[in-house]
Amino acid sequence: MFFILSKILNVLFSPFVWVLLLLLAGLFFKKENRRVIHIMAFGILLLFSNGAVFQGVVRLWESEPVALSHLSGNNRNVVVLGGMLSENQYNGLPRFNQSSDRFWQAFYLLKTGIADTLLISGGLGTLFDEQTPEADMWKAYLKKTGMLSGNILTESQSRNTYENALNSAKLFEEKQLSKRIILVTSSFHMPRAGLVLRSRGFR
């Protein structure tokens, strides 16, 4: 239920939905009020379609990247969140998107000895999708390419950030792993993801 609600809210918080709703609402108001509503709709559209404004807002929200030299030696487990690939419906192979860089950054930490364990957390993040869960696709890809090892774990039940945190915490507890982690996700997603994971005991 929470997953469905989160997807509905994602749609409702879209600026373009606000514009559409304002334009529709304008049809039911008198002419003088309709003009004000149309100006509001145009203002929202102009604001959120302006690249300079959008990038400025994004920079205020994003977390600053952390240099490798600043990583704590006590944080030896990496959690990388999904949203990096989808399944090619024609051949079943993974289709990597621009966020897939986050996996290779986490993989680098593992292979250079900065981290001991890597968890890929991600399932199906859409309401109507029958493709293979993301973490399972990563596992199959790494196995076929000879890169899968015993210290790479996968969790494929999560559909959103809240479930990433919940299911990752359960797996960490089962494996008796320290919840002092290095979290790898996009800089835009980091503030919210960090808050949610901390609520499940991660540090």
Side-chain angles (χ1 to χ4, degrees):
M1 185 64 182
F2 178 81
F3 172 67
I4 296 175
L5 179 62
S6 69
K7 294 303 177 183
I8 294 174
L9 289 176
N10 279 342
V11 173
L12 293 179
F13 281 121
S14 168
F16 294 103
V17 172
W18 299 349
V19 172
L20 180 60
L21 290 176
L22 284 171
L23 292 175
L24 291 174
L27 299 175
F28 301 96
F29 284 84
K30 294 181 180 180
K31 187 175 181 180
E32 57 270 19
N33 294 328
R34 190 181 305 160
R35 183 171 180 273
V36 174
I37 291 174
H38 286 170
I39 291 174
M40 290 172 59
F42 178 75
I44 292 173
L45 183 62
L46 185 64
L47 177 64
F48 285 95
S49 62
N50 186 302
V53 173
F54 177 77
Q55 290 300 326
V57 173
V58 166
R59 281 193 293 270
L60 290 174
W61 172 256
E62 288 181 341
S63 294
E64 289 292 328
V66 178
L68 293 180
S69 59
H70 292 165
L71 292 175
S72 171
N74 295 323
N75 296 47
R76 304 291 301 177
N77 300 317
V78 183
V79 175
V80 58
L81 303 184
M84 302 172 283
L85 57 78
S86 58
E87 186 175 14
N88 188 317
Q89 60 180 330
Y90 299 105
N91 58 23
L93 294 174
R95 180 187 287 116
F96 299 99
N97 61 38
Q98 61 183 4
S99 296
S100 61
D101 174 68
R102 69 179 70 161
F103 168 79
W104 301 111
Q105 299 294 337
F107 191 70
Y108 175 86
L109 297 177
L110 184 69
K111 291 303 180 181
T112 56
I114 296 173
D116 299 322
T117 305
L118 166 60
L119 170 63
I120 305 169
S121 177
L124 295 176
T126 56
L127 285 173
F128 308 104
D129 200 339
E130 297 182 357
Q131 70 173 14
T132 305
E134 182 174 359
D136 290 345
M137 282 191 282
W138 272 112
K139 186 175 182 178
Y141 176 82
L142 294 173
K143 184 176 181 179
K144 288 180 180 178
T145 55
M147 294 188 289
L148 186 64
S149 56
N151 55 356
I152 298 179
L153 309 175
T154 56
E155 177 284 298
S156 60
Q157 300 302 310
S158 300
R159 300 171 296 177
N160 54 30
T161 306
Y162 172 77
E163 292 183 2
N164 284 139
L166 183 66
N167 294 324
S168 295
K170 289 180 180 178
L171 185 58
F172 267 59
E173 289 160 7
E174 290 172 4
K175 300 287 186 181
Q176 297 183 333
L177 295 172
S178 169
K179 287 187 178 180
R180 295 184 63 89
I181 64 168
I182 302 170
L183 177 61
V184 181
T185 186
S186 67
S187 54
F188 184 79
H189 187 218
M190 185 64 76
R192 181 167 63 91
L195 184 65
V196 175
L197 266 75
R198 280 193 292 272
S199 73
R200 305 308 304 181
F202 289 101
R203 297 290 179 267

